[in-house]
Amino acid sequence: MDYFSAVGVSCALPDPHGSDNLKVLFSDISVSLGKGEIVDLLGPSGAGKSTLLTTLAMLNPYGSAAMSLQGKECSAMTPEQWRRQVVYLPQRPTLVGETVFDAIRLPFTFKAFRDGDKNGDIPSEEDVRTHLDGIGLKDVELDRSPGALSVGQQARICLLRSLLIRPKVLLSDEVDAGLDDASADCVGRMLQTHAQENGMAVLRVRHRVSDGRAHRVLRLEVGALTQASDDTPMKRGDSDDD
């Protein structure tokens, strides 16, 4: 039994001009992830990589799939309960709150989290400080405005916030895009550590040269999802726009 499984994954977008024609991005594809596995997702711009991730996270109203996590069907959970365990991390970092500390703690104030089974895991200031120091952000004060952070700092803090929720699956949408090599490597190490230590499965869209951390590589192109090798070069047309 797969740790995470999605079959019959499909998405058809409505015509923006109002006709009855639908644009099928992908239809009846399957995705599976093992516990602690890191899988990279490649493909050209417009292939639907981001759309695939949002579909798996039950965030896309035009996507559909039959999914299960550790043998439990998604139909047995509310969308909020599913998203609590299958977390989507978008490419562009978003930190809402007056301070870094507020932004990190924001998800823990949501009803879906309060009603869950981890109410005792709300991070304290000391916890957050320790985690920030551990990812090379010792110079970031908890009371600093998120708007005063660099893009690299914001990306690492958004990833840290997602990891503190302790998801079972993380869907990472090019979170290292636009980062310098050092920041991108830090992001990769964070994902790898949590995958190894906590069994979190990771599906990550990437357009950087392979960092050697992925167990498998998938390619989405012309509606088909195929296995690729870790050293498969990026093709012309692969970009950070999906």
Side-chain angles (χ1 to χ4, degrees):
M1 179 181 65
D2 293 314
Y3 182 72
F4 172 87
S5 175
V7 297
V9 187
S10 304
C11 183
L13 302 179
D15 184 351
H17 302 295
S19 75
D20 293 333
N21 297 324
L22 298 176
K23 178 184 178 181
V24 178
L25 288 180
F26 44 81
S27 178
D28 201 28
I29 63 176
S30 299
V31 180
S32 63
L33 300 170
K35 186 174 183 179
E37 185 179 31
I38 298 176
V39 177
D40 283 352
L41 177 61
L42 308 180
S45 174
K49 301 180 299 297
S50 297
T51 302
L52 175 58
L53 296 193
T54 56
T55 297
L56 299 180
M58 295 183 71
L59 287 168
N60 192 327
Y62 304 109
S64 62
M67 299 182 288
S68 64
L69 179 62
Q70 292 183 294
K72 186 174 182 179
E73 302 293 330
C74 66
S75 57
M77 309 181 203
T78 65
E80 292 77 17
Q81 289 171 331
W82 180 261
R83 296 174 199 140
R84 174 71 179 75
Q85 301 181 75
V86 180
V87 171
Y88 172 68
L89 184 61
Q91 175 184 341
R92 293 172 179 80
T94 302
L95 295 171
V96 178
E98 294 185 2
T99 68
V100 168
F101 183 62
D102 291 339
I104 291 176
R105 282 175 55 104
L106 179 64
F108 298 90
T109 66
F110 296 157
K111 184 176 185 299
F113 189 93
R114 296 197 309 269
D115 292 346
D117 58 357
K118 297 188 177 181
N119 292 328
D121 290 342
I122 299 177
S124 65
E125 287 194 25
E126 182 179 1
D127 293 332
V128 173
R129 179 72 271 161
T130 298
H131 285 294
L132 287 175
D133 292 350
I135 60 173
L137 294 178
K138 294 183 179 180
D139 59 334
V140 173
E141 304 86 358
L142 294 182
D143 60 356
R144 185 186 299 190
S145 169
L149 301 172
S150 70
V151 174
Q153 290 171 329
Q154 291 179 14
R156 278 182 277 176
I157 289 175
C158 282
L159 176 56
L160 172 61
R161 178 178 61 190
S162 295
L163 295 176
L164 287 174
I165 297 173
R166 300 183 185 178
K168 294 179 179 177
V169 177
L170 184 68
L171 307 171
S172 171
D173 195 353
E174 291 193 86
V175 296
D176 57 4
L179 303 185
D180 59 73
D181 289 344
S183 295
D185 187 61
C186 182
V187 167
R189 289 198 311 271
M190 291 170 67
L191 289 174
Q192 186 176 41
T193 296
H194 279 261
Q196 292 175 341
E197 296 182 356
N198 302 323
M200 178 183 71
V202 180
L203 179 61
R204 57 179 189 168
V205 175
R206 299 190 81 239
H207 287 293
R208 305 178 74 100
V209 175
S210 171
D211 60 5
R213 293 185 170 98
H215 298 91
R216 289 187 291 131
V217 179
L218 301 175
R219 184 172 183 85
L220 181 62
E221 189 168 11
V222 198
L225 188 65
T226 57
Q227 197 85 19
S229 63
D230 186 51
D231 58 355
T232 298
M234 291 183 292
K235 298 181 180 179
R236 174 171 291 185
D238 285 11
S239 71
D240 57 1
D241 296 318
D242 195 18

